[in-house]
Amino acid sequence: VCNEFIGPFDYRATDFIVNYPNSKSINVRPHIDTPYRFKEFEGGHNLALQIALVIDEFTKENGGTGYVPGSHELKFEYYKGDQQVNVEKISNFWEHNHRQYCAKPGTLILWDARLLHSTMPNYTDKKRRMLLLNAVSQSVRDRVNELDPIWARDAEMLN
């Protein structure tokens, strides 16, 4: 699927996400992912996919990932350098348009890294876990590694 969407690619990052029990106060932070968070890639298409493996069932109650359908095609300015901008505008848009993904353990979820998404509050007494990978086109990999060196280390271990 990655090859069909972004062509030859490398995995750049991996993260084990744990949404802890009773995290009602979690900051919902709608965002897009690497490489699109860097200005030079904001107009690019089909450069990266996020891949999530659901470990614990995703429900609305336990903070299943929130997303805005079709938002990967919208034009927002999300970042200036490493700072997120237009936070109020994006948050308002998010509040009126987001949905939450519900899924069984073992489900593999793929989304365009331009899709506006966020961790959501976990209102249960059990943790919700997922494994997350970032697949990036080899055509931009080296430049992305320069801009985002922390994840470059993970990329070496994954490829």
Side-chain angles (χ1 to χ4, degrees):
V1 171
C2 289
N3 274 325
E4 288 179 25
F5 186 75
I6 59 179
F9 71 96
D10 287 319
Y11 293 110
R12 279 205 69 254
T14 183
D15 203 357
F16 189 72
I17 309 291
V18 179
N19 195 347
Y20 289 97
N22 297 307
S23 61
K24 298 175 193 112
S25 63
I26 193 168
N27 287 333
V28 173
R29 191 180 62 83
H31 64 281
I32 58 174
D33 288 318
T34 299
Y36 302 108
R37 65 189 186 89
F38 299 108
K39 186 143 185 83
E40 67 189 79
F41 299 113
E42 72 183 2
H45 295 287
N46 300 350
L47 297 176
L49 282 175
Q50 291 294 96
I51 304 161
L53 176 62
V54 174
I55 296 171
D56 299 309
E57 184 171 13
F58 275 30
T59 67
K60 289 182 179 184
E61 293 76 25
N62 75 4
T65 300
Y67 67 100
V68 176
S71 59
H72 64 290
E73 296 178 343
L74 299 177
K75 303 288 187 238
F76 277 107
E77 182 177 32
Y78 293 96
Y79 294 94
K80 276 194 176 165
D82 284 340
Q83 297 298 312
Q84 195 168 2
V85 296
N86 293 319
V87 174
E88 188 174 327
K89 180 179 180 181
I90 292 167
S91 294
N92 187 46
F93 174 74
W94 172 266
E95 187 61 36
H96 292 93
N97 295 286
H98 82 277
R99 297 184 185 154
Q100 276 183 269
Y101 199 83
C102 297
K104 299 286 184 199
T107 302
L108 192 64
I109 307 168
L110 290 90
W111 67 89
D112 186 312
R114 293 173 290 170
L115 188 75
L116 192 61
H117 63 282
S118 179
T119 298
M120 301 297 286
N122 182 348
Y123 296 103
T124 72
D125 59 357
K126 295 182 180 171
K127 61 187 167 191
R128 194 259 310 140
R129 300 169 296 171
M130 74 175 181
L131 179 65
L132 186 65
L133 296 167
N134 178 233
V136 176
S137 170
Q138 288 179 354
S139 68
V140 299
R141 176 201 58 216
D142 292 342
R143 178 64 180 141
V144 171
N145 285 344
E146 289 173 18
L147 294 168
D148 198 5
I150 293 171
W151 295 109
R153 177 196 59 212
D154 286 353
E156 289 178 25
M157 293 186 300
L158 288 168
N159 292 303

